Amino acid sequence: MSEEKTEVQLLQEKLLMDKKHAAKVIDDAEMAKAMDFAEGYKKFLNDNKTEREVAAFIIEEAKKHGFTEFDKFGTYKPGDKVYYLNRKKAVILAVIGKKSIGEGAHIAAAHIDSPRVDLKPNPLYESSEIALLKTHYYGGIRKYQWPTVPLSMHGVIVRKDGTEVNINIGEKEGEPQFIITDLLPHLAREQSERKLGQGIKGEELNVIVGSLPFKADAGSELVKLNILKMLNDKYGIVEEDFLTAEIEMVPATKVTDIGFDRSLIGGYGHDDRVCAYPELMAILELNEAPEHTAVAVFADKEETGSDGNTGLQSSYLRYFIADLARFEGLMGRDALSKSKCLSADVNAAFDPTFPSPFETANSAYINKGIVVTKYTGSGGKGGTSDASAEFVGEVTRIFNAADVCWQMAELGAVDAGGGGTVAKYVANLDIDVVDVGVPVLSMHAPYEVVSKLDVYMTNKAVSAFFKA
Ligand code: MN
Ligand code: MN
């Protein structure tokens, strides 16, 4: 017995926005596809924990998919695939389009660095017969979250003779791990009076690396000496080699499904590998020449403000596009000003346990699909690129045509805080750009959470953009 709809119901259907749960807009077959995509992402996240590791993975996968090293004086035809590796820490992949680069590239830009704890240049010391490493945290971490989390050590050491040693300890089964300590509650009365932001101070993020002394009748700092001897035996390094090293301590935890329904993924470094991976898969799967040249940027240093030659404030993206323009006899600016970009970065997912810094109507929600963020910034839209209505319209039409489940949000309530992405640096190149990405719970924590459906929708969205 079907009842006729009331006037109110009809008007509601016609006029009100209906943002659906991603699970309600896909069928069983696509749900299976999304879950399958998540498995690939989980493996990637487990295996690649630093920008150098992600960059190496991207190059390896790109080569397997027919990408060749970009020759800036070369000539290319539609469908050709090229890669450019910037100092082992940032990557650009491109598939040459059917149209001239003068009609603009379709660019997606994610970052592959994540918040972590770096070693200082002079890290190793001994105190109370414990060997420790001094650190300097990287990016916006909540310092109190990092003690008592098992850590692994990743990075590179350049020895005096110029040879390099790659370090990766604590990820494989049976390998030792490392730890930052915290006080026991019994003796934390004074520490507990500190404000949360000072709960653990920067100079308290010291990593324990050993406690056995070198066997000798006499001598000082024998625990430190013992550690150095072990490092020398294994890697051929001496203390001074730490001066020419980049060593990152990251959570040694493994990626896992979260929830009885396995709908979520817990892991370290979702920000922003959860956008980098869908973007990578989208460009690797471009089997025929797209209309516009597709460019996938995997940037470093976003978490510290995109400074430095591997961050997007550097000119390498601009130069890359200019080099593509040159073989057509065009100026770089001809291509840049016509180009369009998805700045693929995460946004904060509404957290029901901590609702106060969110404004519910303009928050991102897990499982509501890829989030489009018109602007980020703080303090009255400061420090951001505010995407134009025209460009947001163009991008969301592409998403709608491809059945992408998407939502729009700000980054938290007005004046609750704020943040930024690479979007403003891309916009500075005279490129139309808007932020899109996966909503994340506990962003920047040692263990972050995302939804599998949102990861899948991000891949679908970037694919559709590359093909548009
Ligand atoms: Mn990010
Ligand atoms: Mn971040």
Side-chain angles (χ1 to χ4, degrees):
M1 200 167 71
S2 68
E3 282 174 39
E4 229 167 76
K5 286 178 178 166
T6 65
E7 194 184 352
V8 170
Q9 282 171 326
L10 287 170
L11 264 182
Q12 283 174 331
E13 272 176 31
K14 185 180 169 190
L15 301 179
L16 293 181
M17 192 160 64
D18 179 20
K19 292 314 289 180
K20 288 197 179 77
H21 193 287
K24 289 183 183 155
V25 298
I26 59 174
D27 58 17
D28 290 350
E30 196 170 11
M31 178 64 104
K33 226 173 129 184
M35 295 302 116
D36 194 48
F37 189 82
E39 293 308 307
Y41 171 58
K42 282 160 60 184
K43 180 166 176 16
F44 161 81
L45 196 62
N46 254 336
D47 294 349
N48 302 283
K49 292 195 171 179
T50 67
E51 61 284 357
R52 284 175 186 267
E53 290 169 2
V54 177
F57 175 82
I58 291 169
I59 296 295
E60 198 183 307
E61 288 300 305
K63 284 179 179 168
K64 278 188 214 160
H65 285 78
F67 285 71
T68 57
E69 189 171 8
F70 181 56
D71 172 6
K72 65 180 181 175
F73 298 113
T75 54
Y76 293 97
K77 60 181 190 311
D80 283 352
K81 302 171 175 187
V82 294
Y83 69 82
Y84 169 71
L85 176 62
N86 179 1
R87 297 168 174 88
K88 302 179 190 171
K89 297 189 223 177
V91 186
I92 300 176
L93 303 184
V95 180
I96 308 301
K98 290 180 204 155
K99 292 184 173 168
S100 159
I101 192 73
E103 296 194 43
H106 281 198
I107 304 166
H111 66 91
I112 55 176
D113 60 318
S114 295
R116 58 178 193 253
V117 180
D118 286 347
L119 296 196
K120 288 191 183 188
N122 291 299
L124 184 61
Y125 70 105
E126 175 175 339
S127 181
S128 308
E129 293 180 279
I130 295 177
L132 299 113
L133 297 172
K134 291 301 292 181
T135 68
H136 195 145
Y137 64 96
Y138 174 95
I141 66 167
R142 306 191 74 190
K143 294 184 275 290
Y144 74 86
Q145 293 176 336
W146 290 71
T148 72
V149 173
L151 300 171
S152 57
M153 182 184 285
H154 298 241
V156 64
I157 298 174
V158 178
R159 289 181 290 217
K160 267 190 194 153
D161 63 2
T163 55
E164 291 178 19
V165 196
N166 284 305
I167 306 278
N168 185 318
I169 310 167
E171 295 293 340
K172 291 190 200 78
E173 191 69 37
E175 282 185 343
Q177 298 176 343
F178 310 94
I179 199 87
I180 295 166
T181 55
D182 198 357
L183 271 175
L184 60 168
H186 318 65
L187 299 181
R189 192 175 296 165
E190 193 185 306
Q191 186 200 28
S192 299
E193 296 302 317
R194 296 182 188 173
K195 285 191 170 168
L196 190 58
Q198 289 291 311
I200 295 290
K201 296 176 186 170
E203 291 293 353
E204 291 168 345
L205 293 171
N206 303 320
V207 183
I208 291 186
V209 293
S211 64
L212 285 179
F214 181 73
K215 275 185 188 160
D217 296 334
S220 62
E221 300 203 320
L222 294 178
V223 177
K224 174 178 168 177
L225 188 68
N226 197 39
I227 295 296
L228 279 171
K229 182 168 187 311
M230 293 179 81
L231 290 174
N232 188 261
D233 289 345
K234 184 155 187 204
Y235 298 110
I237 59 166
V238 296
E239 187 176 21
E240 203 175 336
D241 292 329
F242 279 115
L243 298 175
T244 48
E246 282 178 15
I247 300 178
E248 309 174 7
M249 307 301 300
V250 300
T253 43
K254 294 293 171 199
V255 178
T256 190
D257 287 345
I258 299 284
F260 289 118
D261 58 9
R262 297 180 173 269
S263 58
L264 308 172
I265 306 169
Y268 162 70
H270 283 311
D271 178 5
D272 182 32
R273 286 161 211 158
V274 74
C275 296
Y277 182 80
E279 176 184 310
L280 175 64
M281 291 301 123
I283 196 151
L284 292 182
E285 287 154 12
L286 280 181
N287 290 321
E288 47 193 89
E291 291 297 313
H292 292 265
T293 295
V295 177
V297 182
F298 303 92
D300 181 30
K301 293 286 181 281
E302 192 280 338
E303 294 296 355
T304 51
S306 296
D307 294 300
N309 53 19
T310 52
L312 267 185
Q313 292 208 59
S314 155
S315 298
Y316 67 98
L317 173 60
R318 185 163 60 94
Y319 291 164
F320 182 81
I321 300 288
D323 290 337
L324 285 178
R326 174 165 45 194
F327 77 78
E328 287 192 45
L330 298 167
M331 301 283 284
R333 54 183 285 187
D334 299 330
L336 286 166
S337 58
K338 288 283 177 64
S339 291
K340 291 162 185 179
C341 179
L342 299 181
S343 161
D345 205 348
V346 299
N347 196 330
F350 179 83
D351 188 337
T353 302
F354 299 103
S356 63
F358 296 93
E359 186 266 293
T360 53
N362 288 283
S363 291
Y365 294 85
I366 56 162
N367 286 319
K368 296 279 173 93
I370 184 171
V371 48
V372 179
T373 309
K374 192 172 180 295
Y375 49 85
T376 56
S378 63
K381 293 190 169 186
T384 185
S385 161
D386 192 346
S388 72
E390 290 86 347
F391 187 58
V392 174
E394 192 178 333
V395 166
T396 54
R397 280 198 299 279
I398 292 170
F399 291 174
N400 287 336
D403 292 323
V404 172
C405 180
W406 63 274
Q407 56 185 324
M408 178 161 291
E410 292 196 351
L411 176 60
V414 177
D415 292 342
T421 64
V422 300
K424 60 179 173 179
Y425 308 116
V426 175
N428 288 347
L429 300 174
D430 194 24
I431 293 174
D432 273 317
V433 57
V434 65
D435 278 303
V436 301
V438 175
V440 179
L441 289 164
S442 309
M443 194 200 292
H444 285 203
Y447 212 67
E448 306 172 309
V449 176
V450 298
S451 125
K452 291 181 182 176
L453 287 172
D454 297 334
V455 180
Y456 171 75
M457 286 299 168
T458 297
N459 172 254
K460 210 173 164 184
V462 178
S463 279
F465 180 69
F466 281 153
K467 288 172 186 166

